[in-house]
Amino acid sequence: FQPLHTLRNAEKELLPGFHQFEWQPALKNVCSSWDVGIIDGLSGWTTSVDDVPADTIARRFRYDVALVSALKDLEEDIMEGLRERGLDDIVCTSGFTVVVKESCDGMGDVSEKHGTGPAVPEKAVRFSFTIMSISIRVEGEDDGITIFQEQKPNSELSCRPLCLMFVDESDHETLTAILGPVVAERKAMLESRLIVSIGGLLRSFRFFFRGTGYDEKMVREMEGLEASGSTYICTLCDSTRAEASQNMVLHSITRSHDENLERYEIWRKNPFSESADELRDRVKGVSAKPFMETQPTLDALHCDIGNATEFYKIFQDEIGEVYQRTNPSREERRRWRSTLDKQLRTKLKLKPVMRMNGNYARRLMTREAVDVVCELVPSEERREALQKLMELYLQMKPVWRSTCPSRDCPDQLCRYSYNSQQFADLLSTTFKYRYDGKITNYLHKTLAHVPEIVERDGSIGAWASEGNESGNKLFRRFRKMNARQSKMFELEDVLK
């Protein structure tokens, strides 16, 4: 790596702030200059006399400038797409639509590991976006023609960082203070068209933003819902935990950003003078002001992890034959856990992990893993039930993992509702000891909401947060090794 001040012009072209563009009409409350590079994440946040200045460091690109840079990166793909569709690029100067996936994720401890001082609890949050597709509407045609589709929507290569901040994702005030201007810019862009030169001609683009790359914790924070331990188990429907465990499959998506805003107003004003419990039941757990619109969907990566955690616990309980006893002691549970870990380590080379991660989850949810666990389960009948449970799960999983289920696994997609019903029946009979009046959030979503989301969006996997998560790894790496050792510069180096 060369030092940053010697970045050559060729490299500058790749950074936001190099290409000229304009908006029609001009963006509300956003400066019209286009040559804007990295800005302070707190700029645009006007502090009143009483405000304590946010004690944090943040760096970001202006949203519209970053989008232009991303479009210019895709210039060749856009021209190629027009040619492939047999469209005359001289005629196609307007009517382009760009769909953008937004992701935001908190990172735990990113503090410096070397040095002798105490380890400071330093956390970071990354907000990034991915251009998912570009289509054009031609006169005489009702539907848009897709001229670019991101083939690897979950690669860190297609996931562009917009804002990096040293903030704990649970610090709602600071997070919303920094993302406030980003939300304002995004809102302004929805009402305007971008005019930028692509392939030597000025063309106009409209943008649609879909906030789907958030884990459940972030969705709840952005949408003003109670935390994930709430009795209101779902970010897509109004079901309570007890209802979701009784009726595992038949739910439909009812929540939306606008409805959450209305419910927050009811929560704030309590127009019917109800008691706290009645009011909470009326607003279904919306108790803070929704801050940023997210798309009601399911995050495929965290769904994997949540369900694997659940299966791990079932394995543990089956080793201890919990179905025929009540309240085993902590010691017993610990013993079953170490038996399970030892078995997975010796037979599958799976090291125990503190917190379940994606790779562990993927390796645990396999036929081999369930066969290995069954060696420790005494009863033949329970072994068969466990194997059937895993078999059904493996039939369902491709539907919410694949980028395009109707192309990649049409049979599983067709059978999804049937399989999820079978799975739910098994849980509510054979594994009733675990699902009596309770169920985990992601298991509920896996069973109840997947077909509806796939029908609406065409995919769940493509809209997941993996690209952003992979980018987190790069962030750590760059921060440790390639950034100048001063907090101020560090985020700028990593953004670049």
Side-chain angles (χ1 to χ4, degrees):
F1 281 115
Q2 300 179 347
L4 282 175
H5 59 264
T6 65
L7 272 174
R8 296 186 308 279
N9 285 336
E11 292 169 308
K12 281 185 185 156
E13 284 180 37
L14 300 173
L15 280 174
F18 183 83
H19 300 285
Q20 204 166 351
F21 63 87
E22 69 165 310
W23 287 90
Q24 285 179 352
L27 295 185
K28 283 184 194 142
N29 303 326
V30 179
C31 166
S32 60
S33 60
W34 50 266
D35 51 348
V36 183
I38 292 174
I39 55 179
D40 184 343
L42 290 164
S43 69
W45 183 251
T46 46
T47 48
S48 71
V49 179
D50 304 337
D51 278 348
V52 180
D55 179 22
T56 184
I57 295 169
R59 290 284 178 272
R60 71 181 184 94
F61 295 119
R62 212 174 73 199
Y63 208 159
D64 60 330
V65 180
L67 283 169
V68 168
S69 176
L71 277 183
K72 292 295 279 186
D73 269 2
L74 297 173
E75 188 164 13
E76 285 174 22
D77 297 281
I78 294 170
M79 301 313 290
E80 182 66 27
L82 287 173
R83 276 195 296 276
E84 277 178 10
R85 298 279 181 283
L87 298 169
D88 183 351
D89 71 324
I90 297 170
V91 178
C92 300
T93 53
S94 63
F96 288 91
T97 299
V98 182
V99 179
V100 177
K101 165 169 83 171
E102 296 182 321
S103 310
C104 186
D105 185 33
M107 272 178 289
D109 184 31
V110 290
S111 56
E112 295 293 349
K113 289 289 181 288
H114 46 73
T116 51
V120 274
E122 199 175 61
K123 313 215 171 186
V125 172
R126 294 177 68 251
F127 184 94
S128 56
F129 67 91
T130 303
I131 291 189
M132 296 291 282
S133 66
I134 301 173
S135 56
I136 183 168
R137 211 178 196 139
V138 184
E139 276 183 38
E141 297 279 335
D142 285 347
D143 292 333
I145 301 170
T146 302
I147 55 170
F148 167 78
Q149 186 91 40
E150 178 53 66
Q151 291 308 303
K152 293 187 174 165
N154 287 319
S155 156
E156 65 269 33
L157 299 175
S158 60
C159 183
R160 300 157 191 276
L162 183 73
C163 180
L164 301 175
M165 41 200 152
F166 285 121
V167 180
D168 182 345
E169 63 179 320
S170 310
D171 175 359
H172 186 75
E173 286 69 24
T174 313
L175 186 66
T176 50
I178 294 174
L179 289 179
V182 173
V183 175
E185 286 165 20
R186 168 207 216 212
K187 190 172 174 209
M189 287 189 285
L190 286 172
E191 294 155 17
S192 187
R193 287 193 321 281
L194 171 74
I195 311 292
V196 64
S197 162
I198 296 282
L201 288 175
L202 290 177
R203 302 177 198 270
S204 85
F205 294 83
R206 297 202 80 116
F207 290 89
F208 288 95
F209 300 94
R210 302 193 64 216
T212 57
Y214 304 115
D215 58 14
E216 179 159 322
K217 183 180 177 188
M218 191 65 87
V219 168
R220 286 175 177 270
E221 199 163 298
M222 300 271 197
E223 290 284 10
L225 302 168
E226 293 168 349
S228 51
S230 160
T231 48
Y232 294 98
I233 179 177
C234 189
T235 53
L236 297 113
C237 70
D238 295 337
S239 173
T240 62
R241 201 170 295 278
E243 288 164 12
S245 72
Q246 291 308 305
N247 160 19
M248 288 187 176
V249 180
L250 302 169
H251 295 274
S252 57
I253 298 172
T254 54
R255 288 188 191 266
S256 68
H257 184 68
D258 293 338
E259 186 192 52
N260 288 339
L261 277 166
E262 285 164 22
R263 285 178 167 176
Y264 167 71
E265 285 304 313
I266 292 174
W267 171 259
R268 197 170 65 85
K269 294 173 182 163
N270 192 3
F272 306 105
S273 310
E274 292 164 308
S275 72
D277 286 346
E278 290 169 325
L279 180 60
R280 182 166 169 259
D281 189 48
R282 180 180 292 278
V283 298
K284 305 293 179 205
V286 177
S287 56
K289 184 166 185 177
F291 160 70
M292 184 180 223
E293 181 169 3
T294 64
Q295 192 71 24
T297 182
L298 174 156
D299 186 57
L301 171 70
H302 290 91
C303 189
D304 250 5
I305 292 171
N307 291 340
T309 308
E310 194 50 27
F311 265 78
Y312 181 88
K313 288 178 177 162
I314 292 176
F315 291 160
Q316 216 172 304
D317 288 349
E318 287 299 312
I319 289 169
E321 299 191 271
V322 174
Y323 62 96
Q324 28 175 287
R325 54 203 303 174
T326 48
N327 291 342
S329 69
R330 275 179 92 168
E331 289 312 311
E332 287 177 296
R333 284 191 179 283
R334 215 166 273 155
R335 203 164 58 243
W336 305 332
R337 182 172 184 169
S338 64
T339 311
L340 174 59
D341 280 342
K342 189 174 171 189
Q343 178 80 339
L344 291 171
R345 173 179 264 168
T346 49
K347 297 284 172 79
L348 290 178
K349 306 282 182 286
L350 256 185
K351 289 194 190 76
V353 283
M354 278 259 294
R355 275 177 63 197
M356 181 75 71
N357 59 45
N359 290 335
Y360 189 95
R362 279 184 270 277
R363 293 196 46 204
L364 185 69
M365 304 308 277
T366 54
R367 289 181 188 88
E368 298 82 67
V370 86
D371 290 343
V372 161
V373 171
C374 281
E375 292 173 19
L376 301 171
V377 175
S379 135
E380 175 64 36
E381 192 187 334
R382 306 299 295 183
R383 287 200 290 265
E384 280 174 17
L386 265 183
Q387 280 161 332
K388 182 167 182 211
L389 200 62
M390 182 61 87
E391 200 52 53
L392 285 167
Y393 185 79
L394 292 175
Q395 285 293 308
M396 288 152 65
K397 181 176 160 178
V399 176
W400 42 263
R401 282 306 317 185
S402 89
T403 301
C404 179
S406 58
R407 179 195 65 204
D408 301 338
C409 51
D411 298 350
Q412 280 112 320
L413 180 58
C414 288
R415 290 178 60 83
Y416 194 93
S417 295
Y418 174 75
N419 285 337
S420 62
Q421 185 65 62
Q422 297 285 93
F423 192 92
D425 290 345
L426 205 52
L427 292 186
S428 51
T429 52
T430 314
F431 298 94
K432 189 166 174 46
Y433 65 88
R434 263 199 86 76
Y435 297 96
D436 200 5
K438 58 184 193 287
I439 186 171
T440 60
N441 303 13
Y442 275 113
L443 199 49
H444 155 74
K445 289 178 180 174
T446 309
L447 294 173
H449 293 304
V450 168
E452 192 178 350
I453 304 172
V454 172
E455 198 170 316
R456 185 192 66 194
D457 297 344
S459 169
I460 291 177
W463 297 96
S465 67
E466 249 130 330
N468 199 42
E469 298 273 355
S470 314
N472 287 351
K473 247 186 331 214
L474 294 179
F475 174 92
R476 280 178 199 283
R477 189 110 171 242
F478 287 143
R479 176 164 152 67
K480 293 273 179 293
M481 290 158 17
N482 307 327
R484 289 169 290 180
Q485 299 302 305
S486 131
K487 288 274 184 301
M488 291 309 201
F489 279 124
E490 222 163 70
L491 284 182
E492 302 192 8
D493 296 355
V494 177
L495 253 189
K496 285 181 172 173

